[in-house]
Amino acid sequence: MRFIVCIKQVPDTTSVKIDKRTGRLIREGIPTIINPEDKNALEAALSLKEKYEGEIIVISMGPPQADEALREALAMGADRAILLTDRAFAGADTMATAYSLGSAVKKIGEYDLILCGRQAIDGDTAQVGPQLAEFLKVPQITYVSELNIEENKVVAIQELEDKRVRWEASLPALLTITSEANKPRYPSAYGIMDAYREKEVETWEKKHLDIDEERIGLEGSPTSVKRIFSPEPKGKGEIIKEEPKESAEILFNRLRAKNII
Amino acid sequence: MDFNLSSEQKAMQKLCIEFAENEIAPKAQEMDRTGEFPYEIIKKMAKLGLMGLPIPKKYGGVGTDYLTYVIALEEISKADASVGITMSAHISLPCSTLYDFGTEEQKQKWLVPLAQGKILGAFGLTEPSAGSDAGATQTTAELIDEKWVINGSKCFITNSGTDISGLVIVTAVTGKREDGRSEISNFIIPRETEGYSQGPKYAKMGWRAADTRELIFSDCKIPKENLLGDLGSGFRQFLQVLDAARISMAALSVGVAQACLDASLKYAKERIQFGRPISKFQAISFKLADMATEIELARLMYYKAAWLKDNGKPYTKEATMAKLFASEISVKCANEAVQIHGGYGFMDDFDVSRYYRDVKVNTIGEGTSEIQRIVIARQLGC
Ligand SMILES: Cc1cc2nc3c(=O)[nH]c(=O)nc-3n(C[C@H](O)[C@H](O)[C@H](O)COP(=O)(O)OP(=O)(O)OC[C@H]3O[C@@H](n4cnc5c(N)ncnc54)[C@H](O)[C@@H]3O)c2cc1C
Ligand SMILES: Cc1cc2nc3c(=O)[nH]c(=O)nc-3n(C[C@H](O)[C@H](O)[C@H](O)COP(=O)(O)OP(=O)(O)OC[C@H]3O[C@@H](n4cnc5c(N)ncnc54)[C@H](O)[C@@H]3O)c2cc1C
């Protein structure tokens, strides 16, 4: 079987600070990590590989420093790593990201399962996985907390807020994996040595892909971020403790005074 | 000069930080309380390769440089000194001795399972009447009928009596030299050898989960080929091994000192007295500033010693300075950490009380501070 795992390198948000003046992330000196749920996706692939054998390809779109994240994935046991990096990819929104990743998947060729994290802790949209599935026209199961391969299909439990749903999908398929799915293994020290000394991270640029330039990077992104700000903390709520009837009246008058009703 | 760690070194460090925080730190208090040896943790570390980091791949290890190994050791020790000394007494002593002086056969037979962490190794130098004066060894080895017969005893030997302890390398007198002093040789003694027994685990002030015991040899017979290196080279062997081991003792000390600083800084920012965090009092913030400065200096010194070793340059003086300084500031940092915590620092529930007990041995084990100063002074030509 061939598994493709999409990983994103993200700032370690536990140590992220915001520049109070500009409202931007201070990226200098912030350690980066593999997006946590992408590690769950990789762990899922690793344990499936232990059962069914096969090959795990990790792929990431990002700046050259994303090499580190891919090496970590290799150290955890991935077989092959591909870094999509090119100035032309920079500034991509979720759609352009999914399109670029999809073009790389097409270049890879045959595969059985694509595993993404449910959501990235920085961009936080949870859109890339679903968009990628749409682009590749393969079935998708999102928010997966359990998965297995049975005959020629994948069986997965989707974890929704109020219920758990069991889905089956034919292969190839794309799943987005949640943190409940497993506990990602540590990369071993042996693995780290191999990742840095024996294995390679392949670098793919725009020119290596069959890609429509109008659909990538900042230019190819239909959405843009207008403003980044920290929401004001909500003020303390007020509790009106009169008899129900009086309380209702006070509330009604207050809302009316504010032109809410 | 380049102070950057390589990506590979950073990746190893990150692995150890995560492992230490998730797998070791949560158990540290309990291990200290019960004194139980951390089998599960050591097993996991072995699987990750952490029990054989600087040993080449072909001998079962990972093949990192020495610097990477000691950086890893700092992070492990930061979470728990008992686990740190277990790792360090295994790698820096028996593994290193076998790697430096063992024959190819001995390496295949003993170093491979040691570096893979399948068995734990110990190094027995100290004796009841040969501590700092390690050359005063009284344990003897005699070749009788093609077998070495060992008699004597050792004390304070780390990693010697756990369920996974596989061997001890011991120094023993094999004759007299021309100058009248004892000729010392090293021997590999498998755990199950008849005539070799271990006393009960010592009750200790710190490093409580680490396994330290007295060893007794009475007509303990081992095969002739268990002589390690050349006959009579034992003294030179352990001097060389201890030189490098000092770098690891420095790293261990820095790990615990850093834990002292981290805990104290956090506490000082949270603890309010006289209407403000105690970190706002100069008396407290200057303690923290001194701790941070000394830790940084100690770390730089052990990095440098490891770098010298990795680059094939002499490092005895620097390694000794690193061990002396790092161990002494670890004691100082732990003392200040308890002080900053006030009465809470005296309570078992606070990690700093464990650090306080754990660090004291840093200025004693693998050569006391006094001995470190003698070595440095000799290096200066005194
Ligand atoms: C400074 C900044 C500016 C931005 N500007 C814009 C903007 O103008 N418009 C806009 O729409 N978005 C913008 N984004 C968001 C950016 O486009 C997204 O970070 C990116 O497209 C991925 O979306 P996400 O982070 O929400 O990932 P999600 O959709 O939450 O990620 C889900 C999963 O998809 C996979 N995945 C996501 N990204 C990658 C990747 N690069 N490589 C491999 N796998 C991946 C991973 O498996 C991940 O777990 C900006 C982000 C930042 C930090
Ligand atoms: C927890 C623990 C684990 C240990 N693990 C091991 C191990 O795995 N293997 C091993 O071989 N040993 C081990 N040791 C032993 C350790 O290396 C010795 O304790 C140490 O070398 C000091 O020897 P000693 O205890 O006999 O002290 P002594 O040598 O008796 O020293 C007593 C005091 O006299 C001072 N002193 C001695 N000589 C001089 C001098 N010439 N000038 C000035 N001052 C001097 C010392 O500095 C010290 O202050 C361990 C010890 C402990 C406590």
Side-chain angles (χ1 to χ4, degrees):
Chain A
M1 303 206 76
R2 188 185 249 176
F3 306 94
I4 297 177
V5 181
C6 297
I7 65 170
K8 184 182 184 189
Q9 189 182 42
V10 296
D12 184 354
T13 49
T14 53
S15 45
V16 155
K17 292 197 179 70
I18 308 272
D19 184 328
K20 283 196 186 119
R21 206 171 44 80
T22 61
R24 287 178 169 271
L25 290 184
I26 304 171
R27 287 180 173 261
E28 267 298 279
I30 298 297
T32 54
I33 53 172
I34 296 180
N35 179 49
E37 285 178 325
D38 301 359
K39 273 199 175 177
N40 296 107
L42 178 56
E43 178 58 44
L46 288 165
S47 33
L48 285 176
K49 183 185 155 175
E50 278 163 8
K51 271 203 227 162
Y52 304 106
E53 302 196 338
E55 182 192 27
I56 298 174
I57 305 176
V58 282
I59 160 169
S60 184
M61 182 171 103
Q65 301 87 278
D67 179 86
E68 245 175 57
L70 288 167
R71 301 265 176 200
E72 188 176 344
L74 287 171
M76 285 170 73
D79 301 290
R80 210 178 134 192
I82 299 165
L83 173 60
L84 295 190
T85 189
D86 197 311
R87 293 202 87 82
F89 296 137
D93 70 0
T94 59
M95 184 114 125
T97 302
Y99 172 73
S100 308
L101 289 172
S103 306
V105 170
K106 284 186 174 165
K107 182 177 157 96
I108 290 171
E110 303 259 299
Y111 60 89
D112 299 284
L113 210 51
I114 300 181
L115 298 169
C116 287
R118 176 189 56 109
Q119 190 163 1
I121 55 171
D122 59 346
D124 221 21
T125 66
Q127 290 171 6
V128 172
Q131 286 174 345
L132 178 58
E134 282 301 305
F135 175 69
L136 295 167
K137 300 201 167 48
V138 296
Q140 58 174 290
I141 310 174
T142 54
Y143 290 66
V144 168
S145 63
E146 275 173 49
L147 68 158
N148 207 353
I149 287 175
E150 287 171 15
E151 278 145 37
N152 214 18
K153 57 183 195 253
V154 55
V155 182
I157 302 291
Q158 181 179 48
E159 203 75 39
L160 296 177
E161 243 168 60
D162 53 344
K163 57 178 178 282
R164 307 174 83 223
V165 188
R166 183 178 181 277
W167 294 95
E168 291 183 3
S170 60
L171 299 178
L174 182 146
L175 272 57
T176 76
I177 310 294
T178 68
S179 56
E180 286 97 62
N182 50 46
K183 183 172 177 262
R185 68 194 62 190
Y186 295 98
S188 76
Y190 300 108
I192 291 172
M193 285 303 265
D194 282 351
Y196 279 95
R197 299 199 181 177
E198 314 283 340
K199 293 179 179 173
E200 240 186 286
V201 170
E202 300 163 48
T203 304
W204 290 2
E205 296 170 12
K206 185 186 74 183
K207 64 173 187 247
H208 298 111
L209 300 176
D210 178 14
I211 205 165
D212 178 354
E213 276 191 48
E214 315 235 298
R215 296 176 66 183
I216 60 170
L218 190 62
E219 299 292 306
S221 295
T223 61
S224 68
V225 177
K226 277 183 104 168
R227 186 164 75 93
I228 298 175
F229 61 95
S230 312
E232 290 291 322
K234 279 190 201 157
K236 259 206 180 136
E238 189 190 335
I239 297 170
I240 305 167
K241 281 190 181 155
E242 307 304 323
E243 288 301 308
K245 211 171 161 193
E246 283 166 61
S247 294
E249 202 162 316
I250 297 171
L251 185 63
F252 178 76
N253 289 333
R254 294 261 186 97
L255 292 173
R256 180 116 143 221
K258 293 194 167 183
N259 287 326
I260 294 171
I261 44 178
Chain B
M1 194 172 288
D2 183 357
F3 285 99
N4 290 306
L5 297 180
S6 70
S7 307
E8 182 186 296
Q9 286 166 332
K10 280 191 250 173
M12 290 291 184
Q13 184 180 38
K14 187 168 166 226
L15 161 64
C16 292
I17 292 173
E18 285 175 8
F19 183 84
E21 277 176 3
N22 299 328
E23 313 291 329
I24 304 178
K27 307 209 168 90
Q29 262 185 27
E30 181 68 6
M31 286 189 307
D32 178 58
R33 198 177 58 74
T34 62
E36 271 167 32
F37 186 79
Y39 288 105
E40 273 306 305
I41 290 172
I42 297 299
K43 200 169 154 193
K44 287 183 190 167
M45 286 171 64
K47 206 169 151 225
L48 293 175
L50 300 180
M51 297 305 282
L53 280 177
I55 305 301
K57 256 187 174 174
K58 67 170 178 171
Y59 298 126
V62 173
T64 68
D65 53 17
Y66 210 78
L67 179 58
T68 306
Y69 154 52
V70 283
I71 288 172
L73 177 62
E74 180 190 327
E75 297 303 337
I76 298 294
S77 309
K78 188 176 151 192
D80 185 67
S82 291
V83 178
I85 189 59
T86 301
M87 172 178 175
S88 145
H90 171 80
I91 295 177
S92 300
L93 301 174
C95 287
S96 295
T97 314
L98 272 163
Y99 178 60
D100 288 351
F101 305 105
T103 61
E104 186 60 30
E105 250 172 49
Q106 288 170 338
K107 286 180 190 166
Q108 290 301 339
K109 183 161 181 197
W110 301 112
L111 184 54
V112 170
L114 281 171
Q116 289 172 340
K118 292 197 172 130
I119 55 170
L120 206 55
F123 186 76
L125 179 65
T126 307
E127 295 185 7
S129 35
S132 299
D133 185 9
T137 302
Q138 291 181 348
T139 297
T140 57
E142 257 187 294
L143 192 60
I144 301 173
D145 297 336
E146 296 297 290
K147 289 200 175 230
W148 287 105
V149 182
I150 317 281
N151 277 294
S153 69
K154 299 280 170 183
C155 61
F156 306 147
I157 308 306
T158 305
N159 287 347
S160 56
T162 71
D163 296 348
I164 51 169
S165 297
L167 64 85
V168 59
I169 293 173
V170 296
T171 51
V173 176
T174 44
K176 271 227 171 330
R177 299 194 317 195
E178 276 169 15
D179 61 5
R181 299 178 68 176
S182 299
E183 175 198 270
I184 293 173
S185 306
N186 281 346
F187 297 91
I188 305 165
I189 306 192
R191 174 72 181 284
E192 304 306 335
T193 311
E194 220 185 298
Y196 166 35
S197 58
Q198 305 89 39
K201 201 168 155 172
Y202 294 102
K204 315 193 274 313
M205 176 202 275
W207 286 4
R208 287 190 166 164
D211 188 274
T212 315
R213 295 173 194 256
E214 180 186 7
L215 313 182
I216 300 119
F217 303 98
S218 64
D219 283 335
C220 165
K221 293 191 187 75
I222 51 168
K224 197 179 168 199
E225 63 267 20
N226 282 21
L227 170 70
L228 186 51
D230 298 333
L231 189 67
S233 69
F235 198 75
R236 190 174 54 79
Q237 283 182 25
F238 74 69
L239 286 184
Q240 178 177 324
V241 165
L242 285 181
D243 269 355
R246 285 185 186 128
I247 308 175
S248 50
M249 190 56 114
L252 182 152
S253 301
V254 170
V256 187
Q258 184 70 51
C260 290
L261 174 60
D262 292 354
S264 302
L265 185 59
K266 182 164 178 284
Y267 185 80
K269 285 179 172 173
E270 286 166 2
R271 173 69 173 169
I272 310 282
Q273 286 295 279
F274 300 98
R276 54 190 148 149
I278 58 169
S279 64
K280 297 290 174 202
F281 298 120
Q282 196 179 61
I284 299 293
S285 65
F286 277 18
K287 283 188 202 299
L288 292 163
D290 284 347
M291 287 163 81
T293 306
E294 286 159 350
I295 290 167
E296 194 63 33
L297 291 172
R299 185 178 289 121
L300 277 177
M301 197 63 213
Y302 93 67
Y303 275 28
K304 180 174 179 187
W307 181 88
L308 288 168
K309 175 170 162 54
D310 284 331
N311 286 278
K313 297 176 193 296
Y315 61 91
T316 301
K317 184 176 77 187
E318 290 77 5
T320 312
M321 288 171 162
K323 146 69 158 110
L324 171 64
F325 186 70
S327 63
E328 298 213 324
I329 67 108
S330 73
V331 173
K332 197 175 150 202
C333 287
N335 184 38
E336 295 295 30
V338 172
Q339 194 66 24
I340 291 169
H341 279 70
Y344 298 93
F346 198 66
M347 301 296 132
D348 285 352
D349 282 351
F350 282 74
D351 287 331
V352 291
S353 75
R354 180 176 83 253
Y355 303 152
Y356 187 85
R357 289 181 287 102
D358 275 342
V359 290
K360 185 54 220 166
V361 68
N362 297 354
T363 63
I364 297 170
E366 284 169 27
T368 63
S369 284
E370 291 74 17
I371 296 301
Q372 306 305 301
R373 288 189 170 88
I374 292 174
V375 173
I376 296 165
R378 257 190 219 138
Q379 288 280 324
L380 296 177
C382 298

